[in-house]
Amino acid sequence: MAPKHHPTPLSGGDRKALSKELGRARAMTTILAAQSADARAKGEALIRTADKLLCESWNERMWADGGPIDPSPTIDQAVNGTYPWLEIECSRCKTRREVDLATLHHPPTTFVHDLASRLRCSKCSKANRRPPATLLQLAQRARHPDRET
């Protein structure tokens, strides 16, 4: 957008009034920009809190109902809510492991419960079996170090 052109008034009093108003406008832009930054920071903090509560709620429903619950948080919401790890269990050999959601090659808008059919046990795949994984819960940090790498 092109800057506004203010023609210079002829009289000295009008020139002074215009420069005074331009100074107020410039001061107001810095005030409004600071308020915008504060509101954005508060909004992002509220969204982070909402994502964390959504993950905790989903974990409680998973524990109470015992299965992948729809709707679940998205990968992006889980990572933003400080729950970047997904605990899974192989449905065949019952091996538990944690998956880092931030490193998955899935779109961040993928729901966590949709990952149940996509995640496979790497231990069973070596024996030419590909059983699906069972989702357990979202976690804030890995409980067991990954022994497979």
Side-chain angles (χ1 to χ4, degrees), residues 20-90:
K20 187 177 181 181
E21 288 300 318
L22 288 175
R24 285 184 186 159
R26 287 186 186 106
M28 197 63 181
T29 58
T30 58
I31 291 170
L32 292 175
Q35 288 176 351
S36 172
D38 290 343
R40 183 172 305 280
K42 288 178 187 175
E44 289 172 356
L46 286 173
I47 289 172
R48 192 173 304 111
T49 303
D51 289 344
K52 183 175 182 174
L53 292 172
L54 179 64
C55 292
E56 290 173 358
S57 168
W58 189 74
N59 278 345
E60 290 296 323
R61 285 185 298 161
M62 285 286 291
W63 182 81
D65 297 339
I69 307 297
D70 179 22
S72 65
T74 63
I75 292 173
D76 197 27
Q77 288 172 330
V79 171
N80 188 39
T82 67
Y83 280 87
W85 293 92
L86 176 64
E87 293 183 18
I88 61 172
E89 180 181 71
C90 177

Side-chain angles (χ1 to χ4, degrees), residues 2-17:
K4 292 183 180 181
H5 174 70
H6 300 285
T8 306
L10 297 175
S11 70
D14 289 340
R15 240 186 338 257
K16 289 178 186 175

Side-chain angles (χ1 to χ4, degrees), residues 83-147:
Y83 280 87
W85 293 92
L86 176 64
E87 293 183 18
I88 61 172
E89 180 181 71
C90 177
S91 58
R92 182 178 169 272
C93 67
K94 304 299 181 197
T95 302
R96 289 185 177 213
R97 69 180 256 235
E98 291 84 17
V99 177
D100 187 4
L101 294 175
T103 62
L104 284 181
H105 298 292
H106 293 286
T109 55
T110 304
F111 289 101
V112 172
H113 74 273
D114 288 339
L115 297 174
S117 62
R118 299 176 187 174
L119 297 174
R120 304 286 182 198
C121 176
S122 58
K123 191 176 183 182
C124 290
S125 67
K126 293 175 185 171
N128 291 331
R129 291 183 175 82
R130 306 267 308 156
T134 304
L135 303 182
L136 299 177
Q137 69 177 359
L138 291 167
Q140 290 185 324
R141 64 180 183 272
R143 295 177 192 219
H144 308 291
D146 192 12
R147 294 175 215 96

